[in-house]
């Protein structure tokens, strides 16, 4: 099921900064990027998050874009991931995969229930303007591409 063109499902999750964070807290001022990750153990997820970490301040400062990474692990593992990869933003813990299930779906792996990796770009009203769900663990949209997508008025910056 594709969410593109639909209103993104709302959620509230525990943050590595402490407390709860709601998707609704990020909407209204500008676009929001929801990144669904498989788990703290996934090297492809770490690489992808690092690309978003590198552009997150620029996106926030220049385009009012918030990056909201959702990781299907308990908060201690998600905090460990943030610290291990020196990420410049907070991660949200989705230990039961409930949010991932409502976005890209989940699957049972040797690590338990994991989210299927995906990226969603939402406009300020919460409408999904871009969706990429990974067909393979290495199939990812990276932060710099999203930056160009937002700055190009939600159009593919490379005309694909």
């Amino acid at each position: 099921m594709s969410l593109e063109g639909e209103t993104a499902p709302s959620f509230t999750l525990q943050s590595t900064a402490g407390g709860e964070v709601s998707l609704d807290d990020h909407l209204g001022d500008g676009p929001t990027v929801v990144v669904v990750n498989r788990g703290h153990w996934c090297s492809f997820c770490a690489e992808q998050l690092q690309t978003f970490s590198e552009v997150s301040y620029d996106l926030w400062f220049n385009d009012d874009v918030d990056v909201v990474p959702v990781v299907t692990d308990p908060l201690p593992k998600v905090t460990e991931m943030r610290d291990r990869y020196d990420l410049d933003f907070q991660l949200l813990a989705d230990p039961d995969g409930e949010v991932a299930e409502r976005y890209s779906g989940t699957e049972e792996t040797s690590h338990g229930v994991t989210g299927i990796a995906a990226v969603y770009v939402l406009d300020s009203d919460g409408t999904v303007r871009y969706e990429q769900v990974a067909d393979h663990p290495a199939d990812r949209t990276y932060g710099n591409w999203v930056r160009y997508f937002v700055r190009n008025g939600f159009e593919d910056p490379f005309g694909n």
Side-chain angles (χ1 to χ4, degrees):
M1 173 185 109
S2 175
L3 292 176
E4 199 160 344
E6 303 293 325
T7 299
S10 189
F11 59 82
T12 301
L13 293 170
Q14 290 292 314
S15 169
T16 55
E20 292 185 335
V21 172
S22 169
L23 176 62
D24 295 339
D25 296 339
H26 293 278
L27 298 174
D29 293 335
T32 300
V33 180
V34 175
V35 182
V36 177
N37 273 216
R38 296 166 52 82
H40 74 283
W41 47 269
C42 175
S43 61
F44 296 113
C45 299
E47 177 185 30
Q48 181 185 40
L49 286 177
Q50 287 173 323
T51 72
F52 278 98
S53 180
E54 291 170 5
V55 301
S56 64
Y57 180 78
D58 179 44
L59 280 168
W60 170 79
F61 187 81
N62 292 301
D63 303 296
D64 292 322
V65 175
D66 287 333
V67 178
V68 181
V70 175
V71 182
T72 53
D73 268 320
L75 188 59
K77 291 289 187 186
V78 175
T79 302
E80 175 187 312
M81 181 184 202
R82 180 204 61 197
D83 295 345
R84 181 178 345 123
Y85 295 107
D86 196 28
L87 300 173
D88 287 336
F89 48 50
Q90 301 305 315
L91 307 178
L92 303 182
D94 183 22
D96 299 321
E98 293 175 14
V99 172
E101 181 61 38
R102 293 173 40 215
Y103 277 79
S104 55
T106 57
E107 58 190 356
E108 187 67 39
T109 71
S110 61
H111 297 279
V113 173
T114 67
I116 297 172
V119 173
Y120 299 87
V121 178
L122 319 178
D123 64 22
S124 59
D125 294 325
T127 301
V128 177
R129 303 294 299 269
Y130 173 79
E131 171 185 56
Q132 186 266 329
V133 177
D135 292 328
H136 178 276
D139 179 24
R140 303 297 173 114
T141 296
Y142 293 112
N144 205 35
W145 188 92
V146 169
R147 177 169 48 186
Y148 290 125
F149 179 76
V150 168
R151 291 182 179 166
N152 198 43
F154 301 115
E155 296 291 331
D156 186 336
F158 305 106
N160 294 327

